Amino acid sequence: MKTYKIAAIPGDGIGAEVVSAGIEVLQALAKRDGSFEFLVDDFDWGGEYYKKHGRMMPGDGLDQIRNHDAILFGSAGHPDIPDHVTLWGLRLAICQPFDQYANVRPTRVLPGITSPLRKVNDKELDWVIVRENSEGEYAGVGGRVHQGSPLEAATDVAMFTRPGVERIMRFAFRLAQTRPRKLLTVVTKSNAQRHAMVMWDEIATEIAREFPDVTWDRMLVDAMTMRMVMRPQSIDTVVATNLHADILSDLAAALSGSLGIAPTANLNPERHYPSMFEPIHGSAFDIMGKGIANPIGTFWSAVMLMEHLDENPAASRLMEAIEQVTADPRFHTPDLGGSATTDDVTAAVIDAIRGANV
Ligand code: IPM
Ligand code: MG
């Protein structure tokens, strides 16, 4: 029996509701499979922890989770604390030291869910966005001076390193190569951002030579938003900078029918550190505690977690269970236009995992 140690960090808002649902589903999966088990440690880090201790996580927090096999994260964001404090104090405080430089965001229109794009189904919208997760505007370079004076000035410097761009480009080409269409779109803004983005384009051309079987093209990020809406079928795998892909992935999530179903993996592909899996949706304080948060984004993230652990049959079983459940509108939460609760959806997915036909 294999044992996987999972660090559960629910964080703020609806994070607690969806992460506990995610853990229930993972445990059901382990039970059904029989060849592995999960040991789950819970960490109460986040906004409430900050109010008590003046920081989002303890000083030795990274050491507490360094030896776990994976991290299941809920969300960071609290109405009483500025967003940049919660982000830099928890999510980025884990992603950056653990060098989770590849952020992977699949998008599909799942069965039973309607895209706001007319007549689009999962055959026409099946993308993976690869977001560079360590550099760009999120590198933390910049400063603010002369606050309160008319001379006030501020910079956020987008920083890109050749190794940082090469590794994400190679990751994206490799991922595109594993997908049936072997198609990669490299997104930049190399007309306006004439230094780093031009370097991105050059590095893309260099790395492409290592992957002669991958077809690739280049897009400026503004034109990419149009293409995502007007010609979704023409896209498969996408690679973009931290900020550009942040924006594109919200559009992608909306086009797939709801931000509530969108998953993400923050990967350290070399496995020197644990990787972190989380729904994209954020803390959603407006619906916190109502029991109506959509847990599908967390379940799909759990699929990515299982894939990362190389438990591929269990990962497919969970994905099939998710698709069986989304296909039935009785299990749609309010973000999908239904009236199901988090518990209803969780119970249905667990039933599907147990079911003989999944
Ligand atoms: C995301 C989110 C975060 C980001 C927020 C919560 C800071 O939008 O994961 O896409 O910008 O990275
Ligand atoms: Mg975002």
Side-chain angles (χ1 to χ4, degrees):
M1 171 88 81
K2 273 171 289 174
T3 301
Y4 296 115
K5 278 179 71 186
I6 306 294
I9 309 177
D12 302 316
I14 59 172
E17 297 157 62
V18 294
V19 166
S20 70
I23 296 295
E24 270 185 67
V25 159
L26 283 173
Q27 297 291 17
L29 207 57
K31 205 163 181 187
R32 168 77 208 282
D33 190 281
S35 70
F36 59 85
E37 62 176 358
F38 293 111
L39 286 184
V40 181
D41 291 316
D42 279 298
F43 297 88
D44 63 347
W45 305 341
E48 295 305 322
Y49 187 95
Y50 181 92
K51 285 181 165 174
K52 276 189 234 129
H53 305 279
R55 52 192 305 160
M56 295 289 288
M57 62 192 273
D60 67 346
L62 292 175
D63 290 331
Q64 295 186 33
I65 57 177
R66 190 181 301 277
N67 294 318
H68 284 74
D69 294 293
I71 305 163
L72 187 64
F73 188 84
S75 76
H78 195 286
D80 305 338
I81 308 170
D83 284 340
H84 64 271
V85 172
T86 52
L87 174 65
W88 285 90
L90 188 58
R91 191 167 162 276
L92 293 184
I94 297 171
C95 285
Q96 297 199 338
F98 283 174
D99 207 17
Q100 295 165 348
Y101 65 83
N103 182 269
V104 182
R105 302 189 158 191
T107 306
R108 260 193 307 131
V109 183
L110 296 183
I113 294 180
T114 315
S115 167
L117 292 179
R118 266 180 301 142
K119 294 194 236 134
V120 161
N121 60 35
D122 63 337
K123 307 272 171 322
E124 286 144 337
L125 201 163
D126 181 356
W127 306 333
V128 186
I129 296 179
V130 176
R131 169 180 178 184
E132 200 296 315
N133 214 28
S134 63
E135 304 197 323
E137 287 77 0
Y138 289 70
V141 181
R144 194 157 165 199
V145 290
H146 305 313
Q147 286 186 56
S149 126
L151 295 177
E152 181 167 4
T155 58
D156 281 294
V157 179
M159 207 205 36
F160 296 94
T161 63
R162 174 166 274 273
V165 180
E166 284 178 355
R167 67 184 184 176
I168 198 65
M169 208 58 85
R170 210 166 262 127
F171 180 92
F173 270 97
R174 206 170 280 142
L175 180 65
Q177 198 175 40
T178 65
R179 293 177 44 91
R181 293 172 70 191
K182 298 191 196 309
L183 180 65
L184 177 69
T185 301
V186 177
V187 175
T188 64
K189 183 68 186 170
S190 51
N191 51 355
Q193 295 174 290
R194 63 198 169 129
H195 307 295
M197 295 292 85
V198 173
M199 183 175 82
W200 265 69
D201 283 349
E202 286 170 13
I203 291 175
T205 310
E206 289 164 26
I207 302 291
R209 292 192 198 110
E210 298 171 19
F211 299 89
D213 55 336
V214 175
T215 310
W216 73 287
D217 58 14
R218 287 193 295 147
M219 280 313 276
L220 298 175
V221 66
D222 49 346
M224 188 63 180
T225 61
M226 289 224 299
R227 179 165 161 192
M228 286 166 72
V229 173
M230 307 302 286
R231 291 188 296 129
Q233 327 78 315
S234 73
I235 300 168
D236 187 79
T237 309
V238 177
V239 62
T241 70
N242 214 332
L243 185 61
H244 291 163
D246 174 42
I247 299 164
L248 293 182
S249 60
D250 264 28
L251 174 58
L255 296 179
S256 75
S258 169
L259 191 56
I261 62 173
T264 187
N266 300 282
L267 300 179
N268 172 246
E270 291 75 23
R271 295 168 192 261
H272 298 150
Y273 303 97
S275 294
M276 181 158 78
F277 302 83
E278 55 170 346
I280 290 187
H281 52 60
S283 51
F285 264 83
D286 52 326
I287 60 163
M288 178 176 79
K290 295 191 176 154
I292 54 166
N294 192 343
I296 296 289
T298 304
F299 298 163
W300 195 346
S301 304
V303 172
M304 301 180 85
L305 186 156
M306 297 304 296
E307 285 168 349
H308 186 70
L309 297 177
D310 279 329
E311 293 290 351
N312 293 313
S316 314
R317 180 173 296 133
L318 177 52
M319 196 66 220
E320 280 168 40
I322 291 170
E323 293 187 25
Q324 252 185 45
V325 168
T326 61
D328 186 339
R330 284 179 307 154
F331 299 120
H332 286 184
T333 42
D335 55 300
L336 293 170
S339 56
T341 65
T342 312
D343 286 348
D344 295 337
V345 182
T346 307
V349 169
I350 290 174
D351 278 350
I353 289 168
R354 289 191 187 131
N357 52 345
V358 184

